[in-house]
């Protein structure tokens, strides 16, 4: 199969990912900034996630393999599964790298994964599938999976079950009369 015959499928996949990124989602993600290690088959590296919109993050990935290194930037949309502690995400982006034999290469990436914010510990565990289409490389397509462990540097405000009890509502003004507001946020099984 040549690249030109696979190109319409790539455009269809990109359109699907874009549509899912723009779709409304449940409350997801209990952190703003996290960084850590990424381990895949035959490669390892670092990963940094930064929340930029309500349910959207930018992820930077630096990978080192036996004969190559690469850097990837992805925009990801997070969707809650049973609340903000457990969620899945979809995204797209691109990468650049250098292979010892083939030289410089680049390409487009998609990503789908699931992550869990460990209760009472600032750690996020995730597993993802990140297919890519490459240019100037002996491999025109790759389908890697990886496991990541990230440390949460900046937590999201007011997402825990105990925020009101443990002082998470300090920003409220004392002079306003208290009204019980209806909330549409659903608490999940794994939210602590």
């Amino acid at each position: 199969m040549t690249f030109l015959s696979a190109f319409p499928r790539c455009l269809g996949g990109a359109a699907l990912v874009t549509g899912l990124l723009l779709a409304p989602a449940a409350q997801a993600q209990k952190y703003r900034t996290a960084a850590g290690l990424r381990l895949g088959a035959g490669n390892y590296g670092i990963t940094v996630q930064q929340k930029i919109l309500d349910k959207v993050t930018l992820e930077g990935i630096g990978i080192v393999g036996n004969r190559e290194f690469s850097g990837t930037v992805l925009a990801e949309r997070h969707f809650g599964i049973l609340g903000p502690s457990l969620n899945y995400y979809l995204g797209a982006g691109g990468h650049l790298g250098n292979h010892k034999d083939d030289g410089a290469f680049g390409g487009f990436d998609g990503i789908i994964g699931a992550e869990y914010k460990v209760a009472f510990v600032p750690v996020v565990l995730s597993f993802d599938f990140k297919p890519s289409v490459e240019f100037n490389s002996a491999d025109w397509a790759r389908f890697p999976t990886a496991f990541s462990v990230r440390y949460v540097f900046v937590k999201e405000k007011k997402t825990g079950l105990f925020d009101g009890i443990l002082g998470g509502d300090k920003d409220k003004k004392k002079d306003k009369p208290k009204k019980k507001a209806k909330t549409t946020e659903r608490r999940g099984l794994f939210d602590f």
Side-chain angles (χ1 to χ4, degrees):
M1 179 178 353
T2 67
F3 173 71
L4 293 177
S5 66
F7 190 70
R9 284 188 236 156
C10 294
L11 284 179
L16 175 66
V17 168
T18 302
L20 289 172
L21 287 174
L22 298 175
Q27 175 66 28
Q29 213 175 345
K30 292 182 79 166
Y31 61 91
R32 296 194 67 73
T33 306
L37 299 175
R38 179 179 173 88
L39 304 169
N43 59 47
Y44 57 92
I46 58 171
T47 173
V48 177
Q49 281 188 329
Q50 175 63 49
K51 188 173 185 178
I52 58 170
L53 294 173
D54 189 30
K55 296 166 188 72
V56 178
T57 61
L58 280 182
E59 182 175 9
I61 301 171
I63 298 289
V64 176
N66 292 335
R67 304 183 64 78
E68 69 184 29
F69 61 89
S70 67
T72 305
V73 176
L74 300 159
E76 301 168 349
R77 175 74 183 243
H78 293 252
F79 301 86
I81 305 172
L82 303 173
S85 291
L86 180 64
N87 64 74
Y88 72 96
Y89 53 93
L90 301 168
H95 68 274
L96 294 173
N98 192 6
H99 192 276
K100 187 175 180 180
D101 299 328
D102 300 331
F105 63 89
F108 298 106
D109 298 87
I111 192 166
I112 183 169
E115 69 180 13
Y116 175 67
K117 163 59 182 77
V118 179
F120 307 113
V121 180
V123 173
V124 177
L125 305 174
S126 69
F127 181 78
D128 62 62
F129 171 62
K130 189 176 77 65
S132 64
V133 176
E134 295 190 345
F135 306 105
N136 296 330
S137 176
D139 298 325
W140 68 273
R142 296 186 190 195
F143 304 96
T145 58
F147 176 75
S148 298
V149 178
R150 296 182 196 93
Y151 180 81
V152 175
F153 288 101
V154 180
K155 293 192 272 186
E156 183 67 27
K157 294 181 182 179
K158 296 187 180 188
T159 58
L161 178 63
F162 300 115
D163 280 343
I165 298 169
L166 301 176
D169 58 350
K170 291 180 183 176
D171 297 337
K172 291 183 180 178
K173 294 186 178 183
K174 302 288 182 188
D175 58 345
K176 288 187 177 181
K178 293 184 179 181
K179 289 184 179 179
K180 190 170 186 175
K182 291 183 179 179
T183 179
T184 58
E185 180 179 337
R186 294 180 1 181
R187 295 286 175 196
L189 180 63
F190 297 108
D191 290 338
F192 295 98

